[in-house]
């Protein structure tokens, strides 16, 4: 079911669901494209029900469908059950600023081009950087949004079809759309 613009997707899973990773159809960070004036990319997940695990992250293809994001190389994630951040299967405590996530909360993921930084937001507040120096050099990687689930969960993934809770994410410099289209090092369009 879709709500808002075409860039909002609702996901509903049942209690029997085991670990599963769903990835965006298109990369949110595309290696062969110029980031020309963009600061980064950003998306959000609104938790409607979490009787299991939800993980908000990024990954490169191919990625094992039966692994949660953050468990394989070239993958990052924040697991909302224990609030650990994961990069390449190494889980660590993230920040004492995030103490719990409950239905109705929104968790966002941003990637800053400048330092190759992954950060998260909670209900519109930017949290400390989770990882720095990932997916560098940019031209080497196509990176996809990756959402992991286990158990009965319901969530909405917003790629910009609705207003983001993190206000800066609504600015052009952070929007996913408009990023892919101008190849680096290619002929000019003039």
């Amino acid at each position: 079911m879709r709500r808002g613009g075409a860039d909002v997707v609702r996901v509903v899973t049942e209690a029997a669901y085991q670990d599963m990773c769903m990835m965006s159809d298109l990369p949110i960070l595309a290696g062969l494209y110029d980031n020309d004036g963009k600061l980064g990319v950003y998306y959000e997940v609104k938790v409607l029900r979490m009787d299991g695990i939800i993980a908000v992250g990024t990954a490169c293809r191919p990625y094992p469908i039966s692994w949660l994001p953050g468990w394989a190389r070239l993958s990052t994630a924040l697991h909302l059950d224990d609030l650990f951040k994961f990069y390449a299967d190494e889980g660590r405590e993230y920040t004492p600023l995030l103490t719990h996530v409950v239905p109705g909360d929104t968790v966002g993921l941003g990637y800053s081009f400048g330092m190759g930084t992954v950060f998260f937001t909670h209900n519109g507040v930017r949290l400390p950087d989770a990882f720095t120096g990932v997916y560098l050099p940019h031209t080497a990687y196509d990176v996809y949004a990756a959402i992991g689930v286990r158990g009965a969960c319901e969530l909405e993934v917003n790629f910009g079809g609705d207003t983001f809770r993190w206000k800066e994410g609504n600015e052009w410099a952070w929007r996913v759309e408009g990023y892919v289209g101008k190849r680096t090092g290619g002929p000019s369009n003039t």
Side-chain angles (χ1 to χ4, degrees):
M1 178 172 126
R2 295 181 186 270
R3 180 177 75 77
D7 296 328
V8 177
V9 178
R10 178 169 269 190
V11 176
V12 179
T13 61
E14 298 176 3
Y17 271 60
Q18 296 300 310
D19 295 345
M20 178 206 281
C21 180
M22 298 166 282
M23 296 173 66
S24 57
D25 291 335
L26 298 173
I28 59 171
L29 174 63
L32 293 180
Y33 292 91
D34 190 3
N35 56 26
D36 194 28
K38 294 278 196 172
L39 296 175
V41 291
Y42 181 76
Y43 76 94
E44 287 183 340
V45 173
K46 182 174 183 179
V47 177
L48 303 174
R49 177 181 181 195
M50 186 170 66
D51 294 332
I53 297 173
I54 298 173
V56 178
T58 59
C60 294
R61 291 183 190 251
Y63 195 84
I65 192 171
S66 60
W67 289 12
L68 294 176
W71 286 357
R73 65 183 291 276
L74 298 175
S75 178
T76 68
L78 176 62
H79 290 207
L80 304 186
D81 62 320
D82 60 10
L83 305 176
F84 273 45
K85 63 180 184 175
F86 285 82
Y87 177 69
D89 200 24
E90 186 175 336
R92 295 183 180 180
E93 290 183 10
Y94 178 32
T95 176
L97 299 175
L98 182 62
T99 59
H100 64 282
V101 174
V102 297
D105 285 357
T106 299
V107 174
L109 181 146
Y111 179 84
S112 176
F113 293 131
M115 298 291 291
T117 302
V118 173
F119 64 90
F120 297 95
T121 64
H122 181 244
N123 292 332
V125 176
R126 183 173 171 162
L127 300 171
D129 293 345
F131 307 102
T132 301
V134 296
Y135 307 125
L136 294 175
H138 299 302
T139 56
Y141 303 100
D142 286 341
V143 182
Y144 297 79
I147 307 297
V149 293
R150 176 194 303 158
C153 299
E154 186 173 351
L155 54 113
E156 289 179 345
V157 184
N158 179 8
F159 291 104
D162 282 341
T163 302
F164 290 126
R165 299 233 10 220
W166 182 58
K167 297 302 179 203
E168 290 87 341
N170 296 301
E171 297 172 8
W172 176 85
W174 286 98
R175 306 279 296 193
V176 171
E177 83 270 357
Y179 163 61
V180 176
K182 183 178 177 189
R183 291 177 58 104
T184 59
S188 98
N189 294 332
T190 59

